[in-house]
Amino acid sequence: MSLLAVEDLSVQAGPLSLVDGVDLDIRPGEVVALVGESGSGKSLTALSIMGLLTEGLSVTGGQIRLDGTPLTPARLQRLRGQDLAMIFQEPVSSLNPLMPVGAQVAESLVAHGRATPQEAGREAVEMLRRVGIPEPERRARQLPAELSGGMCQRVMIAAALISRPRLLIADEPTTALDVTIQAQILALMGELAAEAGTAVLLITHDMGVVAELADRVCVMYGGRVVEQAPVGPLFAAPRHPYTAMLLRTIPRLDDPPKEELFVIRGNVPSPRDWPEGCRFRSRCPRATEACRSRPALEGDDHRVACFHPMETP
Amino acid sequence: MTALLQIEDLKVHFPVRTGRFGGEKALVKAVDGVSLSIDAQETLALVGESGCGKSTLGNAVLGLAPVTEGRVRFDGRDLTTLERAERKAVWRDMQVVFQDPVSALDPRRSIAQSIAEPLEIHGIPRAQIRPRVDELMELVGLNPDQRDRRPGALSGGQRQRVVIARALALNPRLVICDEPVSALDVSIQSQILNLLMRLQRELSLGYLFISHDLSVVRHIADRVAVMYLGMVVEIGRAEEVFGDPVHPYTEALLSAIPRPDPGARRDRVLLQGDLPSPIDPPSGCPFRTRCPLAEPRCAESRPPLVARSDSHSAACFVRAPQG
């Protein structure tokens, strides 16, 4: 059974649709990447799952279930920091600037009554050691401002994983970090999650990160899921024209230098300008009249929402 | 032939206050002895992680950061000794495109007004401005019908096109591109990179291309300089630096890039620890605290850049020994 099942989720800002009928499921222990460009709705989908939408935004339709039971606000309150944890893009602004980092790592254990402050403090130091922070006893007493960005992201990972959650949502966890630090953090996150059997919903725009970490991939465009597949088939034989073209536009290290890159014409539309029917049709070379109505997400293991999908090789 | 831009032993040092109450003074050596050159129509990429000094170096060339020591020659003329009026004339030939097209444009001015700004400042007659703005808009792939729109009505990619059009208004010979595609969506990045490559061919531009994204650099650069803590640790033609990296830091950077190829999950060289503070850099080789090959001699003195070929040099006692 799915650990998390999102069905037909919609999010609006007043009358403006931002997430429009998203389906997503995550099995225990699995790493699912949610990929998309700005305005695709990937972060809002994650925030909806955690019940953390900001004021002015609301879930206007659909169901979110954990273990088959709906995630009500009361249940979320109980599960956040215990079975559910989240890591954000900006480690520095996500930590409390006035609280020593050790106490922030220990917080969820104490808040949920799983340990006394002394025990939690000891566990926090151990967790800081596990995420590769040198001199964890000393660092635990320091404030976030005394640590580098990479260190702060390690602290966030320690705080998220100390309670051995069943689902970790990581929203662009390494986008703000340098590439050598990113490599350390991704390896660490994957290792710790696998060890605790934690499922991960990884939100990213970086197809390289997806290829390295994900078991399955869910591609979003214009507030909808356009394709969902295991990572191998998605990269080897993408079926949605958007996925296929996106993979071709990425500059690669083994490309011939100074050659023209493949281009997707047009711009990423803002939610105000989403076309009727398929949201990608204004940029899609395969679009026809049929695309004026909405394509359903169809298929078993490899699902695609397109009237003219790429042929399978 | 004189290089378009020639930087010799450039140092940019900033005084900062440190300590709990800001009472102690220290020196950040943001750029600490960098030499490099760019020829006409050439792209030199400056790569490295945050704090390595690559943007400060670009700013020093543009006169936006003070030069502590060294020479910056444009077309043979030393910018550090020129009088203000002469420098203004040189800066006409040198323009910049920054990372964030949102803050680079005045939200209250129309696109045409933004593009016309440098033309007005340099006293181009009014009658010539309008046709020149239309020409520039077409050059960067914008429809001149959009001339009266405000930046807020444009997408990120279109805004970056406006910024590029404005940079080209005075026919510069060198454009400093500081992370020009980092803030753009993936599907838009390739449009802007293609545009920059086409403009270079058509207008014979030289680019100083500052970027942390090595896949992008691989695509656009003729030559690459890798910086670490204010110093160039390796420099060479793109195929040399990418295909045959010498410095262990270059190797680690290349190996850290996540490849969009699920079959190729590999063991990579994971560096330990963080970038040291530029206020208190390690003695000797700046990279030695994270280097898998570090030896005792690396703490004693700074390794010089040693040439491996006419075009390729690296600063490492272990990998690029002298003599």
Side-chain angles (χ1 to χ4, degrees):
Chain A
M1 194 180 67
S2 294
L3 171 67
L4 179 85
V6 175
E7 277 165 41
D8 203 23
L9 175 76
S10 291
V11 176
Q12 288 183 220
L16 188 66
S17 169
L18 299 172
V19 174
D20 185 11
V22 161
D23 291 338
L24 178 73
D25 72 297
I26 303 174
R27 294 160 209 153
E30 186 182 42
V31 178
V32 176
L34 196 56
V35 188
E37 299 182 279
S38 55
S40 64
K42 56 189 193 303
S43 289
L44 291 181
T45 300
L47 290 170
S48 305
I49 296 167
M50 291 298 280
L52 294 175
L53 285 178
T54 48
E55 230 179 278
L57 299 176
S58 51
V59 173
T60 51
Q63 277 272 6
I64 301 173
R65 292 195 179 85
L66 192 77
D67 296 321
T69 315
L71 272 178
T72 58
R75 190 158 171 245
L76 265 173
Q77 183 70 39
R78 214 167 48 242
L79 295 180
R80 270 197 304 254
Q82 195 153 241
D83 281 2
L84 297 175
M86 187 155 178
I87 304 174
F88 297 92
Q89 177 174 351
E90 288 290 342
V92 180
S93 57
S94 306
L95 291 168
N96 180 344
L98 299 176
M99 193 182 197
V101 294
Q104 299 194 54
V105 173
E107 199 176 13
S108 74
L109 292 181
V110 179
H112 289 282
R114 303 222 306 214
T116 65
Q118 288 74 23
E119 288 162 3
R122 277 195 297 275
E123 273 191 57
V125 169
E126 192 42 44
M127 201 64 203
L128 289 172
R129 188 190 319 277
R130 296 278 338 262
V131 298
I133 289 188
E135 304 175 80
E137 290 88 357
R138 185 175 71 85
R139 291 293 186 177
R141 293 191 296 271
Q142 292 188 318
L143 296 174
E146 296 174 83
L147 273 59
S148 69
M151 289 272 197
C152 284
Q153 196 57 296
R154 287 166 198 270
V155 169
M156 286 261 287
I157 290 176
L161 293 178
I162 194 167
S163 57
R164 300 174 82 90
R166 297 174 60 212
L167 176 65
L168 171 70
I169 299 182
D171 189 356
E172 303 269 10
T174 57
T175 306
L177 304 176
D178 283 317
V179 62
T180 59
I181 308 295
Q182 160 172 295
Q184 295 171 354
I185 298 283
L186 289 176
L188 177 71
M189 209 176 73
E191 196 181 302
L192 290 177
E195 194 186 290
T198 299
V200 180
L201 179 62
L202 175 70
I203 295 152
T204 180
H205 67 280
D206 185 331
M207 293 305 257
V209 170
V210 173
E212 300 229 347
L213 243 72
D215 300 311
R216 279 194 307 133
V217 188
C218 188
V219 183
M220 289 187 72
Y221 188 86
R224 293 180 188 155
V225 174
V226 296
E227 183 161 9
Q228 200 174 333
V231 68
L234 188 103
F235 280 80
R239 306 231 39 222
H240 199 285
Y242 171 64
T243 315
M245 291 165 76
L246 190 66
L247 288 171
R248 285 184 66 192
T249 65
I250 305 170
R252 288 167 192 258
L253 278 177
D254 46 11
D255 277 346
K258 301 218 98 172
E259 255 181 38
E260 196 147 320
L261 285 158
F262 181 81
V263 157
I264 304 181
R265 68 182 181 200
N267 296 298
V268 180
S270 79
R272 273 170 227 289
D273 305 321
W274 284 342
E276 285 291 303
C278 174
R279 301 263 157 87
F280 188 57
R281 72 181 163 88
S282 53
R283 304 176 72 190
C284 183
R286 298 187 155 222
T288 62
E289 277 302 303
C291 307
R292 290 181 182 275
S293 45
R294 175 177 182 165
L297 187 65
E298 289 172 328
D300 296 325
D301 217 23
H302 194 152
R303 306 170 76 193
V304 62
C306 179
F307 292 113
H308 311 292
M310 311 299 282
E311 295 70 23
T312 40
Chain B
M1 199 183 85
T2 345
L4 185 60
L5 182 75
Q6 177 96 43
I7 295 173
E8 287 161 33
D9 201 23
L10 181 72
K11 293 184 182 170
V12 182
H13 295 175
F14 297 108
V16 287
R17 292 185 176 276
T18 59
R20 280 243 150 147
F21 303 100
E24 295 156 42
K25 281 185 198 153
L27 212 53
V28 175
K29 298 177 175 177
V31 177
D32 200 24
V34 168
S35 300
L36 47 84
S37 68
I38 303 177
D39 284 335
Q41 300 181 55
E42 185 187 47
T43 302
L44 174 78
L46 211 49
V47 305
E49 300 180 285
S50 48
C52 73
K54 58 190 192 299
S55 288
T56 305
L57 187 136
N59 287 341
V61 173
L62 287 162
L64 302 173
V67 171
T68 309
E69 225 181 282
R71 300 267 165 265
V72 178
R73 288 183 220 279
F74 185 83
D75 219 6
R77 311 211 304 167
D78 186 354
L79 295 181
T80 55
T81 56
L82 285 183
E83 293 298 320
R84 219 191 128 64
E86 290 175 297
R87 259 188 311 192
K88 196 180 161 192
V90 172
W91 277 328
R92 227 184 120 137
D93 285 337
M94 198 161 34
Q95 295 292 324
V96 63
V97 173
F98 286 116
Q99 173 175 357
D100 183 6
V102 179
S103 54
L105 293 171
D106 184 338
R108 292 161 305 180
R109 312 187 86 190
S110 72
I111 296 170
Q113 284 172 326
S114 284
I115 298 173
E117 195 181 356
L119 299 168
E120 285 161 2
I121 290 171
H122 283 268
I124 308 294
R126 272 185 155 257
Q128 289 175 24
I129 288 183
R130 186 173 170 122
R132 177 68 179 145
V133 167
D134 286 355
E135 183 187 28
L136 286 163
M137 286 183 74
E138 274 173 12
L139 184 67
V140 299
L142 290 168
N143 186 340
D145 292 346
Q146 295 181 312
R147 63 196 330 282
D148 295 323
R149 301 181 90 178
R150 315 269 150 193
L154 302 182
S155 68
Q158 287 170 318
R159 283 192 207 119
Q160 197 60 301
R161 288 176 195 269
V162 174
V163 172
I164 292 170
R166 182 176 59 185
L168 298 178
L170 296 165
N171 292 316
R173 297 163 64 202
L174 177 72
V175 180
I176 295 174
C177 303
D178 193 350
E179 302 274 7
V181 298
S182 304
L184 303 177
D185 272 315
V186 183
S187 74
I188 304 305
Q189 281 193 8
S190 59
Q191 295 179 357
I192 299 297
L193 291 171
N194 282 351
L195 173 67
L196 289 171
M197 288 191 284
R198 175 170 65 78
L199 293 170
Q200 176 166 54
R201 284 194 305 272
E202 290 177 6
L203 307 173
S204 304
L205 298 168
Y207 288 143
L208 176 61
F209 193 93
I210 299 167
S211 177
H212 72 282
D213 188 332
L214 288 157
S215 311
V216 165
V217 165
R218 174 76 183 115
H219 221 92
I220 199 162
D222 297 300
R223 288 192 303 127
V224 179
V226 182
M227 283 186 76
Y228 192 84
L229 280 188
M231 288 172 231
V232 170
V233 296
E234 181 158 2
I235 184 165
R237 293 207 313 275
E239 61 272 24
E240 292 171 324
V241 174
F242 283 89
D244 183 22
V246 173
H247 201 282
Y249 177 62
T250 312
E251 246 177 17
L253 262 186
L254 287 170
S255 119
I257 304 168
R259 312 279 157 101
D261 179 5
R265 299 186 190 195
R266 314 133 292 141
D267 293 323
R268 59 166 44 110
V269 195
L270 274 187
L271 290 181
Q272 299 301 308
D274 286 340
L275 209 66
S277 160
I279 295 177
D280 185 20
S283 65
C285 172
F287 185 57
R288 69 176 170 85
T289 54
R290 299 171 77 199
C291 181
L293 307 179
E295 298 176 1
R297 61 179 161 163
C298 303
E300 284 159 21
S301 60
R302 190 197 284 192
L305 275 169
V306 174
R308 295 194 101 210
S309 72
D310 288 351
S311 48
H312 190 189
S313 312
C316 175
F317 287 129
V318 181
R319 285 284 180 78
Q322 277 172 286

Coordinates of all heavy atoms in Angstrom, one line a residue, chain B residues 28 33 39 83 98 103 118 121-123 132 163 170 186 194 204 216 219 239 245 248 255 258 264 288 300 302 305:
Chain B
V28 N 40.0 40.8 4.2 CA 39.6 39.7 3.3 C 40.3 39.8 2.0 O 40.2 40.9 1.3 CB 38.0 39.8 3.0 CG1 37.6 38.7 2.0 CG2 37.3 39.6 4.3
G33 N 46.1 38.0 -6.2 CA 47.2 37.7 -7.2 C 46.7 36.9 -8.4 O 47.2 35.8 -8.6
D39 N 41.1 37.4 -25.3 CA 41.3 38.0 -26.6 C 39.9 38.4 -27.2 O 38.9 38.0 -26.7 CB 41.9 36.9 -27.5 CG 43.4 36.7 -27.3 OD1 44.0 37.7 -26.8 OD2 43.9 35.7 -27.6
E83 N 42.9 58.6 -16.0 CA 42.1 59.6 -15.4 C 40.6 59.2 -15.5 O 40.3 58.4 -16.4 CB 42.3 61.0 -16.1 CG 43.7 61.5 -15.9 CD 44.0 61.9 -14.5 OE1 43.1 62.4 -13.8 OE2 45.1 61.6 -14.0
F98 N 24.2 41.0 -15.3 CA 24.2 40.3 -14.0 C 23.2 39.2 -14.0 O 22.4 39.0 -14.9 CB 23.9 41.3 -12.9 CG 25.0 42.3 -12.6 CD1 24.8 43.6 -12.8 CD2 26.2 41.8 -12.0 CE1 25.9 44.5 -12.5 CE2 27.2 42.7 -11.7 CZ 27.0 44.0 -11.9
S103 N 16.1 42.6 -10.6 CA 16.6 43.8 -9.9 C 17.5 44.6 -10.8 O 17.8 45.8 -10.5 CB 17.4 43.4 -8.6 OG 18.4 42.5 -9.0
P118 N 21.7 53.8 -21.7 CA 23.1 54.1 -21.9 C 23.3 55.0 -23.2 O 24.3 55.8 -23.2 CB 23.7 52.7 -22.2 CG 22.6 51.8 -22.3 CD 21.4 52.4 -21.7
I121 N 22.9 58.5 -21.9 CA 24.0 59.0 -21.0 C 25.2 59.3 -21.9 O 25.9 60.3 -21.6 CB 24.4 57.8 -20.0 CG1 23.2 57.7 -19.0 CG2 25.7 58.1 -19.3 CD1 23.4 56.5 -18.1
H122 N 25.4 58.6 -23.0 CA 26.5 58.9 -23.8 C 26.2 59.9 -24.9 O 27.0 60.0 -25.9 CB 27.2 57.6 -24.3 CG 28.0 56.9 -23.3 ND1 29.3 57.1 -23.1 CD2 27.6 56.1 -22.3 CE1 29.8 56.4 -22.1 NE2 28.7 55.7 -21.6
G123 N 25.1 60.6 -24.8 CA 24.8 61.7 -25.7 C 24.5 61.3 -27.1 O 24.8 62.1 -28.0
R132 N 17.6 52.7 -33.0 CA 18.6 51.8 -32.4 C 18.0 50.9 -31.4 O 18.4 49.7 -31.3 CB 19.7 52.7 -31.7 CG 20.8 52.0 -31.0 CD 21.7 51.2 -31.9 NE 22.8 50.5 -31.2 CZ 23.3 49.3 -31.5 NH1 22.8 48.7 -32.6 NH2 24.2 48.8 -30.8
V163 N 18.1 43.0 -20.6 CA 19.3 43.4 -20.0 C 20.5 43.3 -21.0 O 21.4 44.1 -21.1 CB 19.6 42.5 -18.7 CG1 21.0 42.7 -18.2 CG2 18.5 42.8 -17.7
L170 N 25.9 50.2 -26.7 CA 27.0 51.1 -27.1 C 28.1 50.3 -27.9 O 29.2 50.8 -27.9 CB 27.6 51.8 -25.9 CG 26.6 52.7 -25.1 CD1 27.2 53.0 -23.8 CD2 26.4 54.0 -25.9
V186 N 15.2 26.1 -16.4 CA 16.1 25.2 -17.3 C 15.7 25.3 -18.8 O 16.6 25.4 -19.6 CB 15.9 23.7 -16.8 CG1 16.8 22.8 -17.7 CG2 16.2 23.6 -15.4
N194 N 22.3 30.2 -26.2 CA 22.3 30.3 -27.7 C 22.4 31.7 -28.1 O 23.2 32.1 -29.0 CB 21.1 29.6 -28.3 CG 21.2 28.1 -28.3 OD1 22.3 27.5 -28.0 ND2 20.2 27.4 -28.7
S204 N 31.5 40.0 -32.7 CA 32.9 39.8 -32.3 C 33.1 40.2 -30.8 O 34.1 40.9 -30.5 CB 33.8 40.6 -33.2 OG 33.6 40.3 -34.5
V216 N 27.2 24.4 -18.0 CA 27.0 25.6 -18.8 C 28.4 26.1 -19.4 O 28.5 26.4 -20.6 CB 26.3 26.7 -18.0 CG1 26.4 28.0 -18.7 CG2 24.9 26.3 -17.8
H219 N 29.9 24.3 -22.2 CA 29.2 24.6 -23.5 C 29.7 25.9 -24.2 O 29.8 26.0 -25.4 CB 27.7 24.7 -23.3 CG 27.0 24.0 -24.4 ND1 26.7 22.7 -24.4 CD2 26.7 24.4 -25.6 CE1 26.2 22.3 -25.5 NE2 26.1 23.4 -26.3
E239 N 38.8 22.2 -23.3 CA 39.0 20.8 -23.5 C 40.1 20.3 -22.6 O 40.1 19.1 -22.2 CB 39.2 20.4 -25.0 CG 40.4 21.0 -25.7 CD 40.1 22.3 -26.3 OE1 39.1 23.1 -25.8 OE2 40.8 22.7 -27.3
P245 N 41.9 17.4 -16.3 CA 42.1 18.3 -15.2 C 43.3 17.9 -14.4 O 43.6 16.7 -14.2 CB 40.8 18.1 -14.3 CG 40.3 16.8 -14.7 CD 40.7 16.6 -16.1
P248 N 43.6 18.9 -8.1 CA 42.7 18.1 -7.4 C 41.3 18.8 -7.1 O 40.3 18.1 -7.1 CB 43.3 17.7 -6.1 CG 44.6 18.3 -6.0 CD 44.9 19.0 -7.4
S255 N 33.8 16.1 -10.6 CA 33.2 14.9 -10.1 C 31.9 15.1 -9.3 O 31.1 14.2 -9.2 CB 34.2 14.0 -9.4 OG 33.8 13.8 -8.1
P258 N 26.1 16.5 -10.5 CA 25.2 15.4 -10.7 C 24.9 15.3 -12.2 O 24.5 16.2 -12.9 CB 23.9 15.8 -10.0 CG 24.3 17.0 -9.2 CD 25.5 17.6 -9.9
A264 N 24.5 6.0 -14.6 CA 25.9 6.3 -14.3 C 26.1 6.8 -12.8 O 26.9 7.6 -12.6 CB 26.4 7.4 -15.2
R288 N 44.6 23.1 0.6 CA 45.2 21.9 1.3 C 44.3 21.3 2.4 O 44.4 20.1 2.7 CB 46.6 22.2 1.8 CG 46.6 23.2 3.0 CD 48.0 23.4 3.5 NE 47.9 24.5 4.5 CZ 47.6 24.4 5.7 NH1 47.3 23.2 6.2 NH2 47.6 25.4 6.5
E300 N 53.6 24.9 3.6 CA 54.7 25.8 3.7 C 54.7 27.0 2.8 O 55.0 28.1 3.2 CB 56.0 25.0 3.6 CG 56.3 24.2 4.8 CD 57.3 23.1 4.5 OE1 58.0 23.1 3.5 OE2 57.3 22.1 5.3
R302 N 53.0 28.8 -1.1 CA 51.9 28.8 -2.0 C 52.4 28.2 -3.3 O 53.4 28.7 -3.9 CB 51.4 30.2 -2.3 CG 50.1 30.2 -3.1 CD 49.8 31.6 -3.6 NE 49.3 32.5 -2.6 CZ 48.8 33.7 -2.9 NH1 48.7 34.1 -4.2 NH2 48.4 34.5 -2.0
L305 N 51.6 28.8 -10.4 CA 51.0 28.2 -11.6 C 52.2 27.7 -12.4 O 53.1 28.4 -12.8 CB 50.2 29.2 -12.4 CG 48.8 29.5 -11.9 CD1 48.2 30.7 -12.6 CD2 47.9 28.3 -12.2

